[in-house]
Amino acid sequence: RPAGVDYAALRARLAELTAFHAWLADHGPSTTAAVFPDAASREAYWLNAYNATVLRGIAEAPPGMNNVLTWLPDNGFFRARRWRVDGRERTLDDIENRELRDVFHDARVHVALNCGARSCPPLRAGAYRADSLTAQLDDQARRYVNALGSVTLDEGAHAVRVSQLFEWFRDDFGARIPGRAASPVRGPLGFLHGYAAPELRVRIEALCGADGARCSLAYVPYDWTLNRAR
């Protein structure tokens, strides 16, 4: 949620989260394939698995932990700590990159995943579902792009300032979104243009041109501080 996560309340219900995670350990697209018969059900599974794993990892961390990137050495929260999901031991990076990015080629996963940091797109209230996944992901993208401060236009520099997500995953954001027409705006700016509310879209076109060629992207440093509810 935009206001952050109430981790104290989450810890009070950790048993429920742990039980759900135990279900994830032995159920999934590989271990129980019949339950996940199509791409939407598999993509929804991995989005939920990632977000639930982040929540559990933070809930089980010392209450004073305040930065998911530096809590464990060498970005270990994402790259070293392993969790049993869908019958195998996996890291959060495995889920994000091997199960989601490499398979679905859908830039919207980057606004659906919540990594527990203040700069992460807000955690959606409710699970992703196969029967409404496209609508949920489009809604999540619109909410993210149009949230206050997500996109800033610098007319003097002919630049659009956005999160470093767009730098790290520029190829993902520059690709066509599954099920949507290709954007007339080139590169990652096309993702912003496609999900911008009408007023923001007009401002982007005025600054950048119809194809986005007149401006560049500038990246706001990522804030990895824990997204604890304020």
Side-chain angles (χ1 to χ4, degrees):
R1 288 176 174 273
V5 177
D6 186 345
Y7 289 107
L10 183 63
R11 290 186 179 96
R13 301 179 62 181
L14 182 57
E16 296 174 51
L17 179 57
T18 302
F20 174 63
H21 211 267
W23 183 89
L24 290 173
D26 298 316
H27 297 79
S30 297
T31 51
T32 54
V35 182
F36 304 94
D38 53 31
S41 62
R42 294 188 288 272
E43 187 173 4
Y45 172 91
W46 286 115
L47 292 171
N48 293 327
Y50 183 98
N51 288 337
T53 301
V54 168
L55 288 174
R56 181 183 173 187
I58 294 173
E60 292 180 344
M65 190 274 285
N66 198 44
N67 189 304
V68 290
L69 191 68
T70 60
W71 169 42
L72 298 176
D74 300 322
N75 199 359
F77 183 68
F78 299 100
R79 296 178 179 172
R81 185 165 185 186
R82 307 186 74 81
W83 307 85
R84 185 171 178 81
V85 182
D86 191 17
R88 287 178 47 196
E89 299 293 316
R90 307 170 194 269
T91 66
L92 286 164
D93 266 19
D94 289 338
I95 296 174
E96 179 181 9
N97 295 303
R98 297 180 186 177
E99 305 298 346
L100 283 166
R101 293 182 61 230
D102 288 354
V103 174
F104 299 104
H105 307 287
D106 184 350
R108 294 173 300 180
V109 303
H110 297 299
V111 297
L113 300 176
N114 184 275
C115 64
R118 289 210 180 277
S119 286
C120 288
L123 184 65
R124 189 174 181 84
Y128 291 96
R129 298 173 53 93
D131 58 2
S132 55
L133 182 63
T134 294
Q136 287 180 309
L137 290 176
D138 283 342
D139 177 65
Q140 193 75 356
R142 281 190 291 268
R143 288 171 181 262
Y144 178 71
V145 169
N146 295 289
L148 182 65
S150 285
V151 179
T152 304
L153 305 187
D154 186 337
E155 296 181 2
H158 281 276
V160 178
R161 300 190 182 279
V162 291
S163 165
Q164 276 187 299
L165 279 176
F166 288 85
E167 179 180 24
W168 299 331
F169 302 108
R170 60 170 64 89
D171 291 341
D172 294 7
F173 284 110
R176 186 173 70 85
I177 300 297
R180 291 175 66 93
S183 172
V185 177
R186 295 178 294 183
L189 186 61
F191 184 93
L192 302 172
H193 179 270
Y195 286 108
E199 181 181 353
L200 177 58
R201 187 179 298 120
V202 167
R203 293 176 60 213
I204 290 174
E205 292 175 355
L207 177 65
C208 302
D211 63 356
R214 291 208 305 262
C215 62
S216 60
L217 291 182
Y219 305 105
V220 178
Y222 218 69
D223 181 358
W224 288 97
T225 305
L226 186 66
N227 62 341
R228 185 182 289 110
R230 301 182 184 183

